[in-house]
Amino acid sequence: MHIIVLGAGIVGVTTAYFLHEQGYTVTVVDRQPEVAAETSVGNAGHVCPSYATPWAAPGMKGKALKWSVQSWLGMEAALRFTPRLDRHQWRWLGQFLSQCNAERYAVNKARMGRLARYSHTQLKTIRERLDIQYEQTTGGNLQLFRTQEGLDNAGLAARVLAEAGVAYALLDAEACVAFDPALRGARAQLVGGMLLPQDETGNCPLFARALADWLQTQGVRFVLGTAVQQIEFAGGAVTGLRTTQGLLQADAYVVACASASVPLLKPLGMMLPVYPVKGYAITVPVRDAAAAPRSGVMDEYYKVAITRMGNHIRAAGTAEIGSWDTKVSAHDCATAVKSLQLLYPDGADMTQVTYWAGLRPMTPDGAPLIGATAYRNLYLNAGHGSNGWTTACGSSRLIADLIAGVGTEIVSEDLSPQRVI
C-alpha cells in the first residue's frame, strides 16, 4: 500500500517514519526545497510534555483584551490581534472563546498532556534507535516568574501536575540560579520558578532532517520543491494530487501541512477549525558559554521561550492572530530580544540577530486533529499549534496505527477530526 504524506515539517517527517515502520510505501511531498523549512525551522526548541497546555483557559478573554490594547498602543504584548474581514477568523475566535472556561480547560489539558507524554516516549525511542543528535538537552526546563502572582499561579498548576503524576519542583530565586548559574545577573528580577525535570530541548529542524535522511536510505521518497495545487476526489475518496510537477497518486493520503491544510482541504467541503497564529523568534550566536542558558527557560512574564541550541540561542515569543504572511521586523521581535537581554545579558551576541516568523496551526481547543476524515482514504495529522515539536512523534505514531487498523497505545478517539468537522 502506497501512502502520500503532504508536508515535510516535523509532523510530516515523523508521520512518514511511523508509516514506514508499519510496512507502507511512503512518499512525502512539500512545496519547500528542504525538509522542515517552514513552521518547524523556527521552533522554540522546547519539548515540554509537562507544559502542554491549551491557550484557551479561564481568564484568557481578559488577558487577550489587555494584550490587544497594549499592542494597538504600541506597547509590548504577548498577543496581538489584527481583525480581518474573514469569516474563518471570526468563526475560529468564537470557537476559541467558547473553550475559555474551567470545564473545557480541564478536558483539553488532560488530552494534550496525555498526547505530549506519549509523544516524548516515542521521541526518545527514535533517537535511541537511530542515534540522532540534534543539539538536545535532557536536564529539564525551567519556568521563571517575575511576580508573586505568577509564582502563586504556578502553585495552582503544580497541583494539576501532581494529580497527573508529572514531576516538578517549585524553586525560589536562589534555587533558580543554582539550576542555571547563567541567571545570576538576573537574580534581582526573579521571584521564583518551577523546574520540570522531565522536559527537554532540541533543534527541531535538525532532528527532522536527520530522520528524513535516514528514511531516504530506507526507500522513503521525498518530493520537495513541489506544491500541491489541488486534491482531486471522486466517489468519496481522493483520487490524486494535482501538483506543480504533475499528478501524484497513491492508495491513501495524510495531510500534515500545518496551516496550509486549511485552504487545501476547503474545496473538499472540509472547514478545518485551524487558524494560523503567527509566532516570532530570534536566533543569536552564543557570546559567552558560561553566561548562556544551559537548556530551556520559559519567561512567564513576557511569554518568551529561550533555548540553548549548540552554539546558538533561540528566543521565541509574541503571537499574532490575524496574519497569513511571514513578514518579520526587528520591532516584531522586540519582546523576545528584551527577555533574552534581561535574563542572559552577557550570553548572546546581539550584534548578530536573525529574525524569523512562522504560522502556528492552532485549533480552538489546543489539541491537534488526528485521524480519518469523511473521505475513506484521506487522513489528518494537523493543527498542533505551538506544540508541534512536543507532540509530533506521538501524533504520528497514532495516525500510523489508526491507518494500519491496530489498537493505539493511548486513548485517541478524542483527538479525532470528527470532534470538530
Side-chain angles (χ1 to χ4, degrees):
M1 180 175 173
H2 179 206
I3 301 177
I4 292 179
V5 178
L6 288 74
I10 184 61
V11 175
V13 172
T14 51
T15 296
Y17 171 82
F18 285 107
L19 289 172
H20 167 75
E21 291 299 288
Q22 287 287 0
Y24 296 117
T25 299
V26 183
T27 298
V28 181
V29 182
D30 197 280
R31 61 190 177 188
Q32 295 296 335
E34 186 178 18
V35 165
E38 287 198 32
T39 305
S40 298
V41 77
N43 185 278
H46 287 204
V47 178
C48 44
S50 306
Y51 190 68
T53 304
W55 286 19
M60 179 54 74
K61 295 178 183 178
K63 289 180 181 179
L65 178 60
K66 182 185 74 172
W67 287 330
S68 296
V69 171
Q70 288 176 336
S71 70
W72 294 335
L73 295 175
M75 301 167 61
E76 292 172 348
L79 178 70
R80 300 176 186 171
F81 173 53
T82 304
R84 296 167 58 96
L85 293 175
D86 177 2
R87 282 187 292 178
H88 180 56
Q89 181 191 66
W90 291 102
R91 185 186 302 113
W92 184 91
L93 281 171
Q95 294 170 328
F96 175 84
L97 293 174
S98 73
Q99 301 291 320
C100 294
N101 59 71
E103 180 181 0
R104 295 308 307 163
Y105 178 78
V107 171
N108 296 334
K109 182 175 175 60
R111 70 174 149 205
M112 289 179 68
R114 180 204 322 141
L115 175 61
R117 291 188 291 275
Y118 178 64
S119 188
H120 193 202
T121 300
Q122 299 303 311
L123 169 62
K124 290 189 287 186
T125 298
I126 293 174
R127 77 166 175 238
E128 290 166 8
R129 178 191 173 196
L130 304 183
D131 191 28
I132 293 178
Q133 301 300 311
Y134 51 100
E135 299 176 340
Q136 67 266 33
T137 68
T138 59
N141 292 341
L142 181 63
Q143 291 178 254
L144 293 175
F145 303 100
R146 298 173 182 272
T147 66
Q148 188 60 47
E149 179 185 8
L151 188 59
D152 292 343
N153 289 336
L156 297 174
R159 289 202 288 271
V160 176
L161 294 176
E163 291 171 1
V166 177
Y168 71 91
L170 290 173
L171 309 180
D172 61 19
E174 292 297 336
C176 290
V177 174
F179 173 77
D180 188 351
L183 289 169
R184 58 188 174 274
R187 164 64 183 83
Q189 304 171 38
L190 306 178
V191 173
M194 179 186 286
L195 176 63
L196 301 168
Q198 296 175 341
D199 290 4
E200 303 181 358
T201 70
N203 188 319
C204 177
L206 194 61
F207 177 90
R209 290 164 189 166
L211 183 57
D213 288 344
W214 181 84
L215 285 169
Q216 289 178 84
T217 69
Q218 305 302 303
V220 174
R221 182 184 176 208
F222 281 76
V223 181
L224 303 178
T226 302
V228 176
Q229 299 169 316
Q230 182 180 346
I231 298 178
E232 299 188 345
F233 59 97
V238 172
T239 58
L241 305 176
R242 187 67 58 185
T243 78
T244 50
Q245 301 299 320
L247 184 66
L248 296 177
Q249 294 180 298
D251 301 300
Y253 306 81
V254 181
V255 176
C257 45
S259 299
S261 305
V262 176
L264 194 59
L265 292 173
K266 186 177 179 180
L268 281 71
M270 297 172 61
M271 301 298 294
L272 295 190
V274 173
Y275 198 78
V277 176
K278 188 174 181 179
Y280 298 94
I282 61 170
T283 305
V284 297
V286 171
R287 183 171 67 182
D288 180 351
R294 56 173 290 183
S295 59
V297 163
M298 181 67 191
D299 185 338
E300 285 293 340
Y301 185 81
Y302 290 108
K303 299 297 181 183
V304 171
I306 298 173
T307 310
R308 176 73 172 270
M309 293 183 178
N311 294 322
H312 290 81
I313 303 171
R314 177 158 297 157
T318 305
E320 180 179 351
I321 299 173
S323 177
W324 281 84
D325 66 58
T326 55
K327 296 176 182 177
V328 63
S329 68
H331 172 74
D332 295 322
C333 299
T335 301
V337 169
K338 181 175 183 178
S339 175
L340 179 58
Q341 288 182 316
L342 286 173
L343 293 176
Y344 301 99
D346 300 317
D349 182 356
M350 301 306 294
T351 66
Q352 301 185 60
V353 180
T354 300
Y355 301 99
W356 175 89
L359 304 178
R360 299 169 177 144
M362 302 287 292
T363 60
D365 60 17
L369 309 174
I370 307 168
T373 72
Y375 293 83
R376 59 178 176 269
N377 62 344
L378 179 64
Y379 302 85
L380 283 181
N381 191 9
H384 296 74
S386 58
N387 288 295
W389 185 204
T390 295
T391 58
C393 293
S395 300
S396 300
R397 172 66 187 273
L398 290 179
I399 195 64
D401 287 349
L402 289 167
I403 292 172
V406 301
T408 58
E409 294 182 331
I410 64 169
V411 174
S412 60
E413 291 82 1
D414 57 355
L415 296 167
S416 167
Q418 304 306 320
R419 76 180 191 268
V420 288
I421 61 174

